[in-house]
Amino acid sequence: MINYRLNGPASQERQRIRVMAALRENRFPQAILIDGPAGIGKKALAMEIAKALQCTDGNERPCGHCFGCKMASDPGVTDNWVFPMEAKEVQTRSADSVSAGSTARTIQDIKQEYIEQIVANPYRIDIFSAGGEISVNLIRTMTGSFAMKGDRVRVVIVAEADRMNDSAANAFLKTLEEVPPDTYFILTVSSRDRLLQTIRSRCLALHLLPLSDAEVREETLRMLGPDADEESVTGDVIGLAVGSPGKALYYVEHARELCALASDFIVKSLRNDYSELFEALAKAGLDEVAEANGFLEVLSFLVSDIMRRESGAPLRLPDTMAKLDMDAFPRIDATALEIALATVQETMSRIASRRTAPMMCLQSLAIKLFEGSK
């Protein structure tokens, strides 16, 4: 019997055992859906499974050195991947349509650059543009490549499949209804609810768990490389990551600035010092939806931590909380904090709806935060 060995963090071992059992018993489905929070290693597991499926070693898979394993991990084999792209990228000419010797950048070149980033760091949460989507053209290109598969096993990883538009989802559903022989699909999503139920029903569901704080620290330092400064992975970074090395990598660069701004937001709001606060928000560049709500996520963590400190619960932002003196505002009790947290979350929804400019929402929140308790 062939032995399968999939690598990954201990926190996700149960899910890997389930996949390895299906592979050993030759009952692996032709479509699998891996869901879980952003940046916890869904694409990393997808790549491990792809290598295992394409490996030709007779004893242990993936072996890492056979032709199948090399094809699965080669960024140049762009047909192995589908992921969100901006419209202008999708409209780029393919390699088949440019003249011989041309140095024009093709869609295959663009895809290869994305794949290289994924292979280098599958935890990253900022590889794809926020404005990108999986369009029907990308799905049609994928299905068009099936004719060139030959006799080898084909595995297609559909990363962030919950970003398919309606036309793409319907086209992909038709493909799932009649999957070509020896062809497998591995979908990764952060939100299963954003994917068509009819697609979900045709996939084996695999829910991937967040990592422990210790694993997040270990994986983050490993991704940062041998010259990484261990002190850069602070307590606040680990707390904001919530089990996601991808988020930790982001917050290594941004936690200090965002936590300081969130702390100032609370203090200046309580002191009605709006002019300086509005100026600081403008300098922070929070004019876009993703950036504004990213800041509000940090702010909600901080408000929650103030509540945790009152109840004696462990803090998620220990470094920032050590500098925040809430004793200067004795009127802020548990009820005021609960209302403030709800107000922050309501503001995030308003910004996400895109009906009001993010900066206007942030300014309005500063005035309303702790209203009646100032």
Side-chain angles (χ1 to χ4, degrees), residues 264-309:
D264 278 352
F265 193 99
I266 289 174
V267 172
K268 287 184 167 60
S269 175
L270 285 167
R271 291 175 175 168
N272 297 324
D273 190 0
Y274 302 125
S275 59
E276 286 191 16
L277 177 56
F278 293 170
E279 184 178 346
L281 291 171
K283 288 182 179 178
L286 304 177
D287 298 312
E288 299 297 327
V289 171
E291 285 74 12
N293 272 350
F295 163 68
L296 289 181
E297 184 175 355
V298 175
L299 181 62
S300 68
F301 264 83
L302 188 53
V303 174
S304 297
D305 253 15
I306 299 171
M307 297 171 67
R308 291 190 187 98
R309 183 166 62 184

Side-chain angles (χ1 to χ4, degrees), residues 232 234-238 240 247-262 298 317 319-320:
S232 66
T234 64
D236 283 0
V237 168
I238 297 298
L240 287 167
K247 287 188 175 182
L249 288 162
Y250 173 82
Y251 284 119
V252 162
E253 298 183 15
H254 302 287
R256 190 184 304 275
E257 175 189 352
L258 290 172
C259 287
L261 183 59
V298 175
L317 302 178
D319 306 323
T320 301

Side-chain angles (χ1 to χ4, degrees), residues 1-5 24 55-63:
M1 179 181 290
I2 298 172
N3 182 43
Y4 287 88
R5 186 181 301 276
R24 277 196 303 269
C55 182
T56 56
D57 190 276
N59 297 311
E60 183 164 318
R61 299 178 181 177
C63 66

Side-chain angles (χ1 to χ4, degrees), residues 13 48 53 84 109 176 188 270 320 336:
E13 185 176 8
E48 283 286 296
L53 286 167
D109 294 329
L176 286 182
T188 71
L270 285 167
T320 301

Side-chain angles (χ1 to χ4, degrees), residues 162-201:
D162 44 350
R163 292 173 64 178
M164 289 186 197
N165 62 29
D166 291 343
S167 298
N170 288 323
F172 186 71
L173 177 60
K174 291 179 181 178
T175 303
L176 286 182
E177 290 171 349
E178 293 185 22
V179 181
D182 295 325
T183 299
Y184 299 88
F185 296 102
I186 306 174
L187 286 66
T188 71
V189 298
S190 295
S191 175
R192 296 178 73 243
D193 294 337
R194 293 205 299 265
L195 197 63
L196 280 181
Q197 193 279 331
T198 43
I199 291 179
R200 300 200 306 264
S201 67

Side-chain angles (χ1 to χ4, degrees), residues 138-170:
L138 290 173
I139 299 299
R140 287 171 179 164
T141 300
M142 174 196 74
T143 55
S145 69
F146 291 165
M148 300 180 288
K149 182 175 74 68
D151 295 332
R152 68 182 178 87
V153 171
R154 161 69 58 79
V155 181
V156 179
I157 299 173
V158 186
E160 302 194 19
D162 44 350
R163 292 173 64 178
M164 289 186 197
N165 62 29
D166 291 343
S167 298
N170 288 323

